[in-house]
Amino acid sequence: MIAPPVIILDRSQLAENIGAAARVMANFGLERLRLVAPLKGWPQERAWATASGADWILEGVQIFDTVTEAIADLNVVFATTARPRETRMPVRTPREAARVLFDEAARGLSVGLLFGGERTGLETPDVALCHGIVTIPIDPRHHSLNLAQAVSINAYEWRTTVEDAPPAAFRDADPPARAELVMGLFEHLERELDEAGFFFPPEKRPSMARNLRVMLGRSQLSEQEVATLRGVVHALSKGRGQRLQKLLEKRRDTGGEPPVP
């Protein structure tokens, strides 16, 4: 059986929207709901009132402190946002995204949809953790869309894709690595680049690091590829240290002053 996407709501403000999102999830066969730092805590009684009986979804809610933690075990995550926010990622409609997520889920991968808070939407660093962007093609004269409405549109397209899909075709390609493994690669690479002085000038570090994350995330690296790249980073940093040590030894043997690292 193909597992539906995990729905992740980041910093939701209103219990009513959480409950309404649970209601439409139940309508279209989605069951796993995760909340990232809900602003009024959890549980919230009013969520049950607007869920209209979709209690099993609210009772199974998982709470996380950060988006990074909430998506750590997922292979493919799409960010739902009205604008790309300075990231060069594939931008899809909910229908296109549902097709991609269905194909990945049919391969046994864990997939998810990330939604931002009602007031500010998703922050750029959180979008950069995802593998693509979903944008609902609404009329520009009135582009305000309720959180639960956005969830319902994406849930509907998922359900339609499931109903219309032929028997799943499995590809031989290795699946993308879990988000926690990719995050480990990001952090490892950034530490070594900090050490090497790559991020210059310092004020450009956030945007440079974000661009690196987007570039690597867009590649949908497999677990083996992540392990290989981490080995490459380690070898390069180890080699740099060995070269410096040899230079220090040479200077010491010849009576010269040690170089400044």
Side-chain angles (χ1 to χ4, degrees), residues 231-252:
V232 169
V233 174
H234 176 74
L236 289 173
S237 61
K238 183 179 179 182
R240 183 178 66 244
Q242 290 175 340
R243 289 193 299 273
L244 179 58
Q245 182 63 32
K246 288 180 180 179
L247 183 56
L248 287 169
E249 292 173 354
K250 183 176 180 180
R251 287 293 185 93
R252 186 179 62 246

mmCIF file of all heavy atoms in Angstrom, residues 231-252:
data_model
loop_
_atom_site.group_PDB
_atom_site.id
_atom_site.type_symbol
_atom_site.label_atom_id
_atom_site.label_comp_id
_atom_site.label_asym_id
_atom_site.label_seq_id
_atom_site.Cartn_x
_atom_site.Cartn_y
_atom_site.Cartn_z
ATOM 1 N N GLY A 231 32.751 11.347 2.691
ATOM 2 C CA GLY A 231 34.111 10.824 2.628
ATOM 3 C C GLY A 231 35.043 11.750 1.863
ATOM 4 O O GLY A 231 36.208 11.939 2.240
ATOM 5 N N VAL A 232 34.536 12.344 0.790
ATOM 6 C CA VAL A 232 35.332 13.294 0.010
ATOM 7 C C VAL A 232 35.695 14.505 0.867
ATOM 8 O O VAL A 232 36.846 14.955 0.898
ATOM 9 C CB VAL A 232 34.549 13.734 -1.248
ATOM 10 C CG1 VAL A 232 35.235 14.920 -1.919
ATOM 11 C CG2 VAL A 232 34.433 12.572 -2.236
ATOM 12 N N VAL A 233 34.697 15.065 1.562
ATOM 13 C CA VAL A 233 34.949 16.237 2.417
ATOM 14 C C VAL A 233 35.969 15.898 3.497
ATOM 15 O O VAL A 233 36.897 16.673 3.777
ATOM 16 C CB VAL A 233 33.629 16.727 3.044
ATOM 17 C CG1 VAL A 233 33.902 17.838 4.050
ATOM 18 C CG2 VAL A 233 32.675 17.220 1.964
ATOM 19 N N HIS A 234 35.818 14.724 4.097
ATOM 20 C CA HIS A 234 36.756 14.314 5.149
ATOM 21 C C HIS A 234 38.168 14.170 4.591
ATOM 22 O O HIS A 234 39.144 14.613 5.221
ATOM 23 C CB HIS A 234 36.295 12.987 5.755
ATOM 24 C CG HIS A 234 37.247 12.429 6.773
ATOM 25 N ND1 HIS A 234 37.382 12.963 8.032
ATOM 26 C CD2 HIS A 234 38.127 11.387 6.693
ATOM 27 C CE1 HIS A 234 38.302 12.275 8.698
ATOM 28 N NE2 HIS A 234 38.758 11.315 7.906
ATOM 29 N N ALA A 235 38.282 13.541 3.412
ATOM 30 C CA ALA A 235 39.608 13.336 2.824
ATOM 31 C C ALA A 235 40.279 14.662 2.489
ATOM 32 O O ALA A 235 41.481 14.842 2.706
ATOM 33 C CB ALA A 235 39.492 12.467 1.575
ATOM 34 N N LEU A 236 39.507 15.603 1.973
ATOM 35 C CA LEU A 236 40.071 16.907 1.628
ATOM 36 C C LEU A 236 40.534 17.648 2.881
ATOM 37 O O LEU A 236 41.613 18.246 2.901
ATOM 38 C CB LEU A 236 39.047 17.745 0.864
ATOM 39 C CG LEU A 236 38.733 17.288 -0.559
ATOM 40 C CD1 LEU A 236 37.582 18.095 -1.131
ATOM 41 C CD2 LEU A 236 39.966 17.433 -1.454
ATOM 42 N N SER A 237 39.732 17.608 3.933
ATOM 43 C CA SER A 237 40.124 18.300 5.158
ATOM 44 C C SER A 237 41.316 17.617 5.817
ATOM 45 O O SER A 237 42.224 18.277 6.333
ATOM 46 C CB SER A 237 38.949 18.354 6.140
ATOM 47 O OG SER A 237 38.533 17.050 6.506
ATOM 48 N N LYS A 238 41.347 16.293 5.783
ATOM 49 C CA LYS A 238 42.484 15.557 6.338
ATOM 50 C C LYS A 238 43.751 15.842 5.549
ATOM 51 O O LYS A 238 44.827 16.048 6.122
ATOM 52 C CB LYS A 238 42.178 14.061 6.326
ATOM 53 C CG LYS A 238 43.266 13.205 6.945
ATOM 54 C CD LYS A 238 42.866 11.730 6.921
ATOM 55 C CE LYS A 238 43.963 10.869 7.517
ATOM 56 N NZ LYS A 238 43.591 9.419 7.461
ATOM 57 N N GLY A 239 43.605 15.903 4.223
ATOM 58 C CA GLY A 239 44.759 16.198 3.377
ATOM 59 C C GLY A 239 45.308 17.586 3.634
ATOM 60 O O GLY A 239 46.529 17.808 3.639
ATOM 61 N N ARG A 240 44.407 18.556 3.884
ATOM 62 C CA ARG A 240 44.851 19.907 4.186
ATOM 63 C C ARG A 240 45.666 19.929 5.463
ATOM 64 O O ARG A 240 46.704 20.567 5.568
ATOM 65 C CB ARG A 240 43.645 20.842 4.308
ATOM 66 C CG ARG A 240 44.027 22.303 4.542
ATOM 67 C CD ARG A 240 42.794 23.209 4.602
ATOM 68 N NE ARG A 240 41.958 22.915 5.753
ATOM 69 C CZ ARG A 240 40.715 22.466 5.686
ATOM 70 N NH1 ARG A 240 40.152 22.240 4.520
ATOM 71 N NH2 ARG A 240 40.023 22.228 6.790
ATOM 72 N N GLY A 241 45.195 19.181 6.463
ATOM 73 C CA GLY A 241 45.920 19.118 7.726
ATOM 74 C C GLY A 241 47.267 18.446 7.581
ATOM 75 O O GLY A 241 48.260 18.873 8.177
ATOM 76 N N GLN A 242 47.334 17.402 6.759
ATOM 77 C CA GLN A 242 48.605 16.713 6.546
ATOM 78 C C GLN A 242 49.611 17.600 5.828
ATOM 79 O O GLN A 242 50.802 17.602 6.156
ATOM 80 C CB GLN A 242 48.362 15.419 5.755
ATOM 81 C CG GLN A 242 47.631 14.350 6.546
ATOM 82 C CD GLN A 242 47.300 13.139 5.705
ATOM 83 O OE1 GLN A 242 47.263 13.200 4.469
ATOM 84 N NE2 GLN A 242 47.048 12.013 6.362
ATOM 85 N N ARG A 243 49.133 18.362 4.855
ATOM 86 C CA ARG A 243 50.045 19.254 4.133
ATOM 87 C C ARG A 243 50.606 20.327 5.065
ATOM 88 O O ARG A 243 51.792 20.677 5.000
ATOM 89 C CB ARG A 243 49.315 19.907 2.957
ATOM 90 C CG ARG A 243 49.001 18.948 1.813
ATOM 91 C CD ARG A 243 48.581 19.689 0.568
ATOM 92 N NE ARG A 243 47.368 20.472 0.785
ATOM 93 C CZ ARG A 243 46.146 19.977 0.649
ATOM 94 N NH1 ARG A 243 45.964 18.709 0.318
ATOM 95 N NH2 ARG A 243 45.085 20.741 0.846
ATOM 96 N N LEU A 244 49.763 20.852 5.935
ATOM 97 C CA LEU A 244 50.213 21.865 6.876
ATOM 98 C C LEU A 244 51.225 21.272 7.849
ATOM 99 O O LEU A 244 52.239 21.905 8.171
ATOM 100 C CB LEU A 244 49.020 22.438 7.635
ATOM 101 C CG LEU A 244 49.329 23.502 8.698
ATOM 102 C CD1 LEU A 244 50.050 24.686 8.067
ATOM 103 C CD2 LEU A 244 48.068 23.961 9.397
ATOM 104 N N GLN A 245 50.987 20.035 8.309
ATOM 105 C CA GLN A 245 51.904 19.396 9.242
ATOM 106 C C GLN A 245 53.267 19.171 8.598
ATOM 107 O O GLN A 245 54.317 19.406 9.217
ATOM 108 C CB GLN A 245 51.312 18.051 9.700
ATOM 109 C CG GLN A 245 52.171 17.311 10.721
ATOM 110 C CD GLN A 245 52.324 18.084 12.012
ATOM 111 O OE1 GLN A 245 51.430 18.806 12.410
ATOM 112 N NE2 GLN A 245 53.469 17.943 12.662
ATOM 113 N N LYS A 246 53.263 18.740 7.337
ATOM 114 C CA LYS A 246 54.540 18.526 6.638
ATOM 115 C C LYS A 246 55.292 19.828 6.459
ATOM 116 O O LYS A 246 56.524 19.880 6.577
ATOM 117 C CB LYS A 246 54.273 17.870 5.288
ATOM 118 C CG LYS A 246 53.837 16.413 5.381
ATOM 119 C CD LYS A 246 53.593 15.824 4.003
ATOM 120 C CE LYS A 246 53.155 14.364 4.114
ATOM 121 N NZ LYS A 246 52.878 13.774 2.764
ATOM 122 N N LEU A 247 54.564 20.896 6.173
ATOM 123 C CA LEU A 247 55.212 22.189 6.007
ATOM 124 C C LEU A 247 55.821 22.667 7.318
ATOM 125 O O LEU A 247 56.939 23.204 7.350
ATOM 126 C CB LEU A 247 54.189 23.205 5.489
ATOM 127 C CG LEU A 247 54.712 24.614 5.176
ATOM 128 C CD1 LEU A 247 55.850 24.556 4.171
ATOM 129 C CD2 LEU A 247 53.591 25.496 4.656
ATOM 130 N N LEU A 248 55.107 22.445 8.413
ATOM 131 C CA LEU A 248 55.636 22.810 9.725
ATOM 132 C C LEU A 248 56.898 22.026 10.049
ATOM 133 O O LEU A 248 57.888 22.572 10.560
ATOM 134 C CB LEU A 248 54.575 22.572 10.806
ATOM 135 C CG LEU A 248 53.401 23.549 10.849
ATOM 136 C CD1 LEU A 248 52.326 23.021 11.784
ATOM 137 C CD2 LEU A 248 53.859 24.927 11.299
ATOM 138 N N GLU A 249 56.866 20.726 9.750
ATOM 139 C CA GLU A 249 58.045 19.899 10.018
ATOM 140 C C GLU A 249 59.230 20.331 9.167
ATOM 141 O O GLU A 249 60.376 20.368 9.643
ATOM 142 C CB GLU A 249 57.705 18.433 9.746
ATOM 143 C CG GLU A 249 56.700 17.845 10.737
ATOM 144 C CD GLU A 249 56.259 16.450 10.353
ATOM 145 O OE1 GLU A 249 56.649 15.983 9.244
ATOM 146 O OE2 GLU A 249 55.518 15.818 11.138
ATOM 147 N N LYS A 250 58.970 20.680 7.916
ATOM 148 C CA LYS A 250 60.051 21.116 7.031
ATOM 149 C C LYS A 250 60.658 22.417 7.538
ATOM 150 O O LYS A 250 61.895 22.574 7.560
ATOM 151 C CB LYS A 250 59.515 21.295 5.614
ATOM 152 C CG LYS A 250 60.587 21.681 4.608
ATOM 153 C CD LYS A 250 60.005 21.757 3.209
ATOM 154 C CE LYS A 250 61.079 22.145 2.195
ATOM 155 N NZ LYS A 250 60.529 22.229 0.822
ATOM 156 N N ARG A 251 59.810 23.362 7.942
ATOM 157 C CA ARG A 251 60.316 24.616 8.482
ATOM 158 C C ARG A 251 61.149 24.383 9.747
ATOM 159 O O ARG A 251 62.174 25.021 9.961
ATOM 160 C CB ARG A 251 59.152 25.556 8.782
ATOM 161 C CG ARG A 251 58.482 26.150 7.549
ATOM 162 C CD ARG A 251 59.436 27.118 6.822
ATOM 163 N NE ARG A 251 58.755 27.776 5.728
ATOM 164 C CZ ARG A 251 58.142 28.959 5.848
ATOM 165 N NH1 ARG A 251 58.153 29.576 7.022
ATOM 166 N NH2 ARG A 251 57.548 29.497 4.816
ATOM 167 N N ARG A 252 60.677 23.465 10.594
ATOM 168 C CA ARG A 252 61.393 23.209 11.835
ATOM 169 C C ARG A 252 62.741 22.576 11.556
ATOM 170 O O ARG A 252 63.759 22.929 12.159
ATOM 171 C CB ARG A 252 60.556 22.289 12.726
ATOM 172 C CG ARG A 252 61.181 22.082 14.112
ATOM 173 C CD ARG A 252 60.334 21.195 15.004
ATOM 174 N NE ARG A 252 60.199 19.861 14.438
ATOM 175 C CZ ARG A 252 59.050 19.340 13.991
ATOM 176 N NH1 ARG A 252 57.957 20.070 14.040
ATOM 177 N NH2 ARG A 252 59.012 18.128 13.483
#
